[in-house]
Amino acid sequence: MAHKQFNLTTDPWIKVLDKATNQEQTVSLIELFKNAQNYSQLSGEMRSQDLAILRFLLAILTTVYSRYDANDEAYDWLNINDDTMQADLDEEFEAGEINTYLHETWDHLYRSKHFTNIVTKYLQRYSDKFDMFGKQPFYQVTESQYNQLVPKKKQISGSRGPGKVTIKQINRLISESENTPNIFTPKSDEFKNELQLDELVRWLIFYENVSGVTDKTKIETADKFSASAGWLYRLNPVFADGDTLFQTLMLNLVLKTGEHASIVQQPVWEYSTIDAYVNDRKKQLPPTNIAALYTTWSRLLHIDWSEHGQPTIFSAALPIFDSDDVFIEPMTTWREDKKTGHYHPAVKTLRSLGMAMWRNFGEYVKVNSNGSDHEAGIVDWLRYLKDEDKSKDKIIRGSLITLASVALISDGNATSQAPAAEVYDDMRINADVLFDPDKDKALHWPSRIEDMIQLTQIVGSDYWHFAANVAVIRNIEIRPFANQLSAQFYQGLNKPFKDWLSHLTNQDDRDQKSNEWREFLHKYVIDVAGEVMQTSSSRDIGGFVDVNGIIDKNKGPVNIFTVTNRLRYQVQVHMSQY
């Protein structure tokens, strides 16, 4: 390849949207951190790719600002090596005192609306680790390192050897293996394995986060292990979305030490050698710091450029740590294993593809004021920022917070886990409502919101059974028809509920606002049932006598009118219970 220089710190590779012009730009790492306040958002090939890049950027910021304050001065409670800019913790300082300093740094940075020069200094110090063609190429290993870590029969030479992964497989818009063509792709066969260098960098970072499980090559270990999907691929991601890229980075910049997270950071590029990193991974222990978590490799990758300037990529699976109780991860919701009592990250699947974020409100937010629920870490972090904000011009209190979710969903095939869909959703809510301190369940906003969601789900179930009854009358397949109408029912509720949620304030009368939603929901379900009635045929009107009690236990006549009246009755009963 003619061009053998590409450094992520100075060469443009990150796609952003300019806030003033709304035009797309491609910038370097240093340029991005200097001007993050001037960009509205990341703008890569996929929203889920943007999330992987966001976490990569946060790894840098977490590393830097856990060592240096907003004045670019090292914290007193750290011993920092002037050459490496790496830190050791002084054990004399307590977690509470450290967190006070860290919050001051966060607060000063947020109010200044820009990052400081220490980020540039750090990137310049580690620029050799961000060079795609350096002695230790970025997010890659050399051929000799690769061969030392894989079994002898899996070793490579130049562009020859097993374990190849093609560009079109790393490009998650295509995700095509040599054996299974993907017909519906944005590129023709001729160009599927071609990428510009800046795009390759983006997909390289993304692939380490969302690789599937098709790899035939693994690193050599004493005990056998199964190739795992990338860590981000195994989450139901949630993050805070700001008005600018700077705000988004700051709202997700978790600067806090505690039970689950060490403040001493170690991103992958700070390991002394690749062997040291791989030996750590062989232990299969969860990372103890966010920078390590956000830069976790799922694959050992080597890129050979010897043939016609086009890359040949080799991939070897690395062991992954167990996902139980990895509460250091802030960007996921959690599910409890009732048998073991452990929590593991929730995973978005094709079955839950159409379920809007607000319907799982209680998975993201602590709705029980007694603290028994395990909420998403990023929500807990925002709660902490609100509680710690003692200034007159509040940053979090009183502001609208956008919680967003973007997930790349696999096909569910255990042997491939190829991407099948990408889904994005969000919900906006006033911070004072989200973090309502009222202990009275009747007045506690999150509890009230969850009640309204539960009522909506119950009414949604009533509507599904109505649709199922209509299917029986029409003598068509019940489940496909009822599921289709149910999906349309919830689709029509998404905007109204999100609007209702975003307009709530702590000054509102809880009963009045709850009644507003109840009244809207009641009218809505009757209206959509009426639309079904308008499509009635003579068969629907005539109906049949339900002698077997399929629909009506009284075994009487059943038609579109009787099942609609049944729906009205059930909705009325359930409305009275909330």
Side-chain angles (χ1 to χ4, degrees):
M1 186 177 181
H3 182 57
K4 287 288 187 181
Q5 295 180 345
F6 195 90
N7 196 296
L8 277 64
T9 64
T10 53
D11 287 306
W13 65 277
I14 309 172
K15 285 189 174 184
V16 295
L17 282 184
D18 184 271
K19 186 181 176 183
T21 64
N22 206 34
Q23 297 296 308
E24 188 176 275
Q25 295 184 19
T26 307
V27 298
S28 67
L29 277 172
I30 290 176
E31 189 176 359
L32 180 138
F33 286 121
K34 283 185 176 180
N35 301 292
Q37 66 277 8
N38 298 326
Y39 309 132
S40 56
Q41 64 184 58
L42 295 170
S43 184
E45 282 72 20
M46 302 175 72
R47 284 183 182 268
S48 47
Q49 184 201 76
D50 288 338
L51 179 59
I53 301 298
L54 177 71
R55 287 163 65 93
F56 172 76
L57 299 174
L58 286 168
I60 296 170
L61 291 175
T62 307
T63 300
V64 171
Y65 288 114
S66 63
R67 299 172 185 175
Y68 300 91
D69 63 20
N71 296 315
D72 292 353
E73 298 290 336
Y75 297 113
D76 292 338
W77 38 271
L78 290 176
N79 300 313
I80 292 186
N81 184 305
D82 291 336
D83 176 39
T84 65
M85 299 178 72
Q86 295 183 28
D88 293 320
L89 185 63
D90 189 331
E91 298 296 338
E92 294 181 6
F93 284 79
E94 296 181 354
E97 191 175 1
I98 291 172
N99 286 334
T100 298
Y101 281 113
L102 292 171
H103 181 262
E104 287 178 358
T105 296
W106 188 95
D107 187 79
H108 290 160
L109 286 172
Y110 194 93
R111 293 179 190 281
S112 71
K113 298 181 180 179
H114 65 83
F115 298 114
T116 57
N117 190 59
I118 193 66
V119 181
T120 300
K121 184 178 178 182
Y122 177 83
L123 290 171
Q124 290 171 337
R125 166 61 185 82
Y126 284 93
S127 63
D128 61 320
K129 298 296 181 72
F130 293 92
D131 188 344
M132 281 291 288
F133 303 100
K135 291 182 179 179
Q136 186 58 68
F138 173 76
Y139 264 41
Q140 304 158 61
V141 294
T142 63
E143 182 180 303
S144 61
Q145 289 168 337
Y146 186 91
N147 285 338
Q148 287 172 12
L149 292 166
V150 300
K152 189 172 183 180
K153 64 180 180 179
K154 298 291 186 178
Q155 291 179 357
I156 60 176
S157 177
S159 60
R160 297 185 301 278
K164 291 179 183 176
V165 56
T166 59
I167 289 290
K168 62 184 180 182
Q169 194 167 345
I170 282 183
N171 182 335
R172 297 318 238 164
L173 288 173
I174 302 175
S175 295
E176 176 180 303
S177 68
E178 294 296 339
N179 302 321
T180 310
N182 186 350
I183 300 172
F184 303 102
T185 69
K187 290 188 177 184
S188 63
D189 288 342
E190 184 181 357
F191 299 103
K192 283 180 179 178
N193 277 316
E194 292 187 9
L195 282 179
Q196 295 296 318
L197 197 47
D198 63 312
E199 188 180 355
L200 175 60
V201 175
R202 295 191 294 273
W203 289 124
L204 190 66
I205 294 173
F206 191 42
Y207 191 72
E208 288 288 19
N209 283 268
V210 298
S211 53
V213 294
T214 57
D215 300 72
K216 298 297 188 291
T217 298
K218 306 173 188 176
I219 67 164
E220 196 165 30
T221 56
D223 300 316
K224 290 184 178 181
F225 68 93
S226 299
S228 170
W231 175 251
L232 185 58
Y233 209 13
R234 303 167 67 195
L235 309 181
N236 178 28
V238 54
F239 61 99
D241 200 4
D243 294 332
T244 66
L245 180 55
F246 173 80
Q247 279 190 9
T248 299
L249 286 164
M250 286 300 300
L251 291 173
N252 294 283
L253 178 57
V254 181
L255 285 179
K256 190 171 182 283
T257 188
E259 179 184 357
H260 305 299
S262 167
I263 201 57
V264 178
Q265 306 295 312
Q266 191 174 25
V268 64
W269 53 82
E270 284 194 2
Y271 276 82
S272 57
T273 63
I274 291 296
D275 280 346
Y277 178 69
V278 172
N279 286 336
D280 243 9
R281 291 296 303 278
K282 286 179 179 179
K283 299 173 185 176
Q284 300 187 42
L285 297 175
T288 58
N289 62 92
I290 284 179
L293 181 71
Y294 285 178
T295 59
T296 294
W297 289 358
S298 64
R299 299 294 181 266
L300 205 67
L301 298 176
H302 169 68
I303 303 180
D304 178 79
W305 295 90
S306 60
E307 281 198 359
H308 314 297
Q310 291 299 315
T312 302
I313 305 175
F314 297 91
S315 171
L318 289 162
I320 193 68
F321 43 88
D322 192 277
S323 63
D324 284 351
D325 301 332
V326 187
F327 296 131
I328 189 177
E329 173 58 71
M331 292 188 181
T332 192
T333 58
W334 299 90
R335 296 277 171 81
E336 184 182 9
D337 186 326
K338 300 299 182 181
K339 293 181 179 179
T340 65
H342 291 296
Y343 285 84
H344 57 87
V347 180
K348 194 83 171 174
T349 65
L350 288 175
R351 292 184 63 184
S352 59
L353 186 63
M355 185 170 286
M357 193 175 174
W358 61 267
R359 290 173 61 188
N360 291 318
F361 181 81
E363 292 185 12
Y364 297 96
V365 181
K366 186 185 297 181
V367 299
N368 192 337
S369 58
N370 66 17
S372 61
D373 299 329
H374 196 88
E375 67 185 353
I378 201 66
V379 175
D380 183 64
W381 163 245
L382 294 171
R383 184 191 303 276
Y384 171 80
L385 290 178
K386 174 183 176 290
D387 292 344
E388 291 299 308
D389 189 3
K390 305 297 192 295
S391 59
K392 292 181 179 179
D393 54 329
K394 309 297 187 287
I395 291 177
I396 301 297
R397 278 184 280 177
S399 64
L400 274 175
I401 289 177
T402 299
L403 294 177
S405 178
V406 57
L408 190 65
I409 302 173
S410 84
D411 58 7
N413 188 329
T415 60
S416 65
Q417 295 190 33
E422 183 187 55
V423 60
Y424 172 86
D425 198 8
D426 62 25
M427 56 184 179
R428 288 171 64 82
I429 185 169
N430 189 294
D432 293 341
V433 171
L434 185 64
F435 306 124
D436 185 2
D438 203 311
K439 300 296 183 183
D440 187 342
K441 185 179 185 298
L443 298 176
H444 185 237
W445 256 133
S447 299
R448 272 298 182 98
I449 293 166
E450 185 68 3
D451 283 346
M452 292 302 98
I453 293 170
Q454 288 180 4
L455 172 61
T456 304
Q457 304 274 34
I458 291 171
V459 171
S461 178
D462 292 339
Y463 182 75
W464 188 94
H465 284 97
F466 160 77
N469 290 339
V470 173
V472 172
I473 294 170
R474 295 180 180 179
N475 196 28
I476 58 177
E477 284 193 65
I478 295 174
R479 192 164 294 276
F481 181 76
N483 287 350
Q484 181 183 1
L485 261 63
S486 178
Q488 293 171 356
F489 172 85
Y490 281 112
Q491 185 65 34
L493 283 176
N494 286 344
K495 186 178 185 304
F497 187 89
K498 288 167 71 172
D499 287 345
W500 176 79
L501 185 67
S502 66
H503 286 91
L504 298 178
T505 71
N506 249 13
Q507 288 70 49
D508 290 331
D509 182 284
R510 272 53 165 176
D511 290 336
Q512 180 184 347
K513 298 303 289 187
S514 298
N515 285 336
E516 282 182 15
W517 179 250
R518 270 192 290 261
E519 290 170 4
F520 173 85
L521 179 62
H522 188 272
K523 183 179 184 302
Y524 174 80
V525 67
I526 299 305
D527 286 348
V528 293
E531 291 173 5
V532 176
M533 287 187 68
Q534 289 175 7
T535 65
S536 296
S537 64
S538 57
R539 180 190 182 93
D540 295 344
I541 296 170
F544 65 97
V545 178
D546 190 8
V547 295
N548 296 316
I550 298 172
I551 294 176
D552 192 335
K553 64 182 179 181
N554 295 321
K555 302 180 181 181
V558 172
N559 56 38
I560 190 68
F561 302 108
T562 62
V563 297
T564 301
N565 287 336
R566 177 181 292 275
L567 171 66
R568 288 174 181 269
Y569 172 76
Q570 289 173 330
V571 169
Q572 191 64 47
V573 169
H574 292 140
M575 285 284 177
S576 67
Q577 295 172 351
Y578 281 82

